[in-house]
Amino acid sequence: MHDAAGRALSAERVEALVIGAGPAGLMAAEVLAGQGARVVVAESMPTPARKFLMAGKSGLNLTKDEPAGIFATHFGGSAPGLRPPPGYLDMKEFGPAEVMSWAQGLGIELFTGSTGRVFPVGMKASPLLRAWLGRLAGQGVELRSRWRWCGFQGEDWRFETQGGEVLLQPRAVVLALGGASWPRLGSDAAWVPWLAARGVGIAPFRPANMGFHVAWSAQMARHFGQAVKGVALSAGDLVSRGEWVVTARGIEGGGLYEVAAVIRDGAEAMVDLAPDLGAEELARRFAQAPAKLSVGNRLRRVLGDPLRAALLMEWGQPLPGEPERLAMRAKGLRLRHDGPFGIERAISSAGGITDDSLGPSLELRALPGVFAAGEMLDWEAPTGGYLLTGCLASGWRAGLGAAAYLESARR
């Protein structure tokens, strides 16, 4: 390879290279630096952790304070129903308690909500990221922005930079390039062919933590942008009591994301519009509603919410006249959708580097000294603290693996 003047490029030697400055990559860099490695972080975007900052705009949900065993059941690979989580996401090693301790170590005060979700008191991601980058700089970590990895040149690693193409010759590498969701924020999966050509197994990417298209009738337009509250959404063996939102495109939101993976994989979704009432009590209330009321007003009075009544009228037609059957319909309303949103609108992605391509320390079997973390790996988890904790946990393990590789090479 030659520079703009035609001179042959020589590769810069780097001890530890992390490619990708999202949560997984920054955690790997922190662990490596903590073990005494000289670390360079290459990030394709102008600033680090853009997706992390975007996710934290409405309140940074760091983790969920619940026992590691229960926490782990929310993780799986892209194969439907895969349990337990892959070994690289061992929540007994780096789980909710460790994430909370780590954030507090950055000087971030936390609080735990009524559902167990853990947030910074200030709710924002930016103060945590500033503190984190400051600590990394203090450890000697060098962040190189607008450095885009563009494949291999023999055994060297090629980068496009503002100053032209550059070659690096690292002793150990941690890849944390993200999956295929939100490509405008940097996760475009451009790395797939380069690793596949080196013998790394990669499962196809699919959307995760995504909404679903719904072809609404004109009557639903008045409810666009409103949150569905106080319902239970079930699919497969999963049940969610979280909120979700009706939009012009369909439905989306945290309560839906908890069960989105199994819906995407073919499970039928059902909505209980009155989960705190038994069918018999709900039927009694329907029977007692004044007969002079219109159907819509009767439903609104009994269900206590215009949006829940609108969903029953939208998805429950033809509505049964008998109170008992109407109650059963309201408590077992089929969620009608037209498929998931595309991966470009998904919060995260399923698929990626397969388990059989990874060693226990997240080293790529086909590329000794190269480790991978975050959404590049074949796992998925819902939002609500699970997804972010998984990214941090895999970055932590990959960082430890890379540090151990460097140490063994020194002997």
Side-chain angles (χ1 to χ4, degrees):
M1 181 180 293
H2 298 77
D3 63 14
R7 295 176 298 232
L9 290 175
S10 59
E12 175 190 354
R13 294 187 178 182
V14 174
E15 183 174 33
L17 172 64
V18 176
I19 306 179
L26 294 179
M27 179 58 75
E30 180 176 343
V31 171
L32 275 160
Q35 297 291 316
R38 296 183 302 278
V39 184
V40 170
V41 178
E43 167 57 45
S44 65
M45 303 299 285
T47 54
R50 286 198 165 190
K51 190 173 177 182
F52 174 75
L53 290 172
M54 178 69 75
K57 275 192 171 181
S58 58
L60 180 64
N61 187 183
L62 274 174
T63 191
K64 190 168 184 180
D65 188 7
E66 62 186 9
I70 297 174
F71 192 91
T73 63
H74 294 270
F75 290 76
S78 58
L82 179 61
R83 296 292 187 272
Y88 49 78
L89 295 173
D90 188 344
M91 296 306 158
K92 295 178 182 177
E93 293 184 354
F94 197 98
E98 287 73 23
V99 170
M100 288 186 279
S101 177
W102 164 78
Q104 289 165 340
L106 288 170
I108 303 300
E109 188 178 354
L110 306 175
F111 76 93
T112 302
S114 59
T115 62
R117 295 182 179 185
V118 179
F119 300 85
V121 168
M123 295 296 288
K124 300 300 182 183
S126 52
L128 186 150
L129 181 60
R130 283 195 299 269
W132 196 3
L133 293 174
R135 182 155 78 184
L136 290 171
Q139 291 177 307
V141 174
E142 180 185 353
L143 175 63
R144 301 181 182 181
S145 299
R146 293 190 172 92
W147 273 55
R148 182 176 180 82
W149 182 43
C150 50
F152 299 98
Q153 178 73 25
E155 296 306 310
D156 296 335
W157 296 66
R158 295 178 54 224
F159 288 85
E160 294 175 355
T161 76
Q162 287 185 301
E165 289 194 350
V166 176
L167 296 179
L168 295 185
Q169 198 173 83
R171 293 176 60 198
V173 178
V174 175
L175 298 172
L177 289 151
S181 65
W182 282 6
R184 65 186 177 86
L185 299 180
S187 298
D188 58 7
W191 52 267
V192 169
W194 303 324
L195 294 188
R198 296 291 180 108
V200 178
I202 301 169
F205 282 112
R206 299 181 295 160
N209 287 301
M210 67 293 175
F212 289 80
H213 295 283
V214 178
W216 300 112
S217 68
Q219 287 73 21
M220 287 296 296
R222 73 188 72 176
H223 300 289
F224 292 165
Q226 295 179 12
V228 181
K229 304 178 182 181
V231 307
L233 181 58
S234 61
D237 297 328
L238 303 177
V239 178
S240 170
R241 292 290 298 263
E243 295 181 11
W244 38 285
V245 179
V246 169
T247 72
R249 292 170 57 93
I251 54 175
E252 51 192 304
L256 174 64
Y257 301 155
E258 290 189 39
V259 297
V262 293
I263 300 175
R264 176 201 63 206
D265 293 337
E268 184 175 62
M270 306 297 291
V271 184
D272 183 346
L273 296 172
D276 296 321
L277 293 177
E280 187 174 323
E281 173 59 20
L282 185 60
R284 186 186 67 80
R285 296 188 183 190
F286 278 132
Q288 289 181 341
K292 64 181 180 180
L293 294 177
S294 66
V295 173
N297 286 334
R298 189 162 140 234
L299 296 180
R300 282 190 286 273
R301 174 170 294 195
V302 173
L303 294 173
D305 175 35
L307 180 51
R308 276 183 276 172
L311 288 174
L312 182 54
M313 295 184 71
E314 182 76 8
W315 287 334
Q317 300 290 349
L319 291 176
E322 303 88 342
E324 294 77 14
R325 291 180 59 207
L326 185 58
M328 294 300 296
R329 182 70 52 86
K331 291 190 66 63
L333 183 65
R334 181 185 171 195
L335 190 156
R336 302 178 187 275
H337 65 87
D338 299 309
F341 290 168
I343 202 165
E344 72 283 351
R345 281 181 57 88
I347 290 177
S348 61
S349 55
I353 299 172
T354 55
D355 291 353
D356 57 6
S357 292
L358 298 163
S361 61
L362 295 186
E363 186 175 19
L364 298 179
R365 298 187 190 278
L367 293 169
V370 180
F371 301 75
E375 288 189 54
M376 292 183 73
L377 308 180
D378 183 16
W379 65 280
E380 63 178 310
T383 57
Y386 302 104
L387 180 64
L388 180 54
T389 297
C391 288
L392 294 170
S394 63
W396 174 82
R397 177 168 284 201
L400 286 180
Y405 178 86
L406 289 171
E407 180 61 29
S408 66
R410 295 189 190 105
R411 294 173 186 164

